[in-house]
Amino acid sequence: MGVPPRAGGERAQADGRAITFTLDLEDHRPDGSAELRYPTVMRRVLDWLDERSIRGTVFVVGEVAEAQPDLVRDIADRGHEIALHCWRHVPLTELSPAVFRDETTRAKAMLEDLSSAPVAGYRAPTFSLVPSTAWAIEVLGDVGFTYSSSVLAGHNPLFGWPGAPSRPFRWPNGLVELPVPVAGVGRFRVPYLGGTYLRVLPRPVVAGAQRLSRSDVSVPWTYTHPYDFDPDEPKWAVPDAGRLSPLLWAGRKRLFGKLERLLGDGNRAGPPLGERLSAADAGPVFSPSAGEATGSGRG
Ligand SMILES: [Zn+2]
């Protein structure tokens, strides 16, 4: 057994290194005929976390919760925070405000029922909270979310919000935003602590980016998906990824080892995101229509 999670998280937070483990629980199979692997892989990840006394935040897709209710109960029973990753795994750019409101309300209630706890956090698929989908902020506040981790502050080949603060901030309706930690690559900012970047970038590059961004990120978190831990998944062609498709499989074998280095056998892991909001409370207010943040920034 490692260090008790609270003690470890608090100690790590005190010296500003605590990285919270987060995972997006989604079914990324191209169609329903492919082998169902994520429930088994997810339980392997949960065992790994248990062995290190790490509690994190799991953002669950509503359709996944409907298909695998026992898995969601298991995650909650093991002490992790359950949060929402949209009802369906599509970017916000493909949803209307009315559909988003209906689906999000329904998904939040379902997750609260399964986890017997309030669901406070929301993450947009592929960080698709961008200026054109800013309507989602009001919906998330209305539906009762406390925080979001849906913004990539800067230019990115996929989705990004140039001009948004890279440190935690508040939207005008009070919703706290915990932006994905990013580091610069040319004119782009990439989320080096998650997904393909975390798997593919050499460990010294990740460590270097972490050092550079430390002053910028008061609530750092890593993000993963079940498939990131699944080297044996049969390969398929990812739509729109073309020749980059193999990148989705690269580095999967090494991910547990990389996380072990980042989280230090659990003693450098922070608590679930919902328990770290006080660190973001004094953040600036950023208005979607304004280009810059105002208010009481924390340096
Ligand atoms: Zn996702």
Side-chain angles (χ1 to χ4, degrees), residues 8 18 24 30 47 76 78 82 96 100 103-104 107 126 158 180 185 194 196 213 223 226 235 238 295:
D24 299 347
D47 289 345
R78 296 191 200 213
I82 299 290
S96 71
F100 180 69
E103 293 187 343
T104 303
T126 54
L158 206 48
V180 58
V185 175
T196 299
S213 70
Y223 71 92
K235 290 194 172 62
V238 183

Side-chain angles (χ1 to χ4, degrees), residues 165 169-170 282-287 290-297:
F169 64 92
R170 282 171 295 133
V285 174
F286 175 71
S287 169
E292 60 188 54
T294 56
S296 57

Side-chain angles (χ1 to χ4, degrees), residues 24 26 85 89 125-126 225:
D24 299 347
E26 55 198 53
H85 193 38
H89 198 269
T126 54
H225 314 82

Side-chain angles (χ1 to χ4, degrees), residues 205-239:
V205 174
V206 172
Q210 196 189 348
R211 266 196 305 279
L212 284 175
S213 70
R214 187 165 290 156
S215 59
D216 219 24
V217 182
S218 55
V219 183
W221 42 269
T222 180
Y223 71 92
T224 55
H225 314 82
Y227 62 79
D228 289 316
F229 298 93
D230 186 10
D232 302 323
E233 183 188 27
K235 290 194 172 62
W236 42 274
V238 183

Side-chain angles (χ1 to χ4, degrees), residues 4 24-25 47 50 59 89 121 143 176-178 237 252 273 282:
D24 299 347
L25 184 58
D47 289 345
D50 280 352
F59 293 87
H89 198 269
V143 171
V176 172
E177 183 67 42
L178 304 173
R252 291 185 180 187
L273 291 180

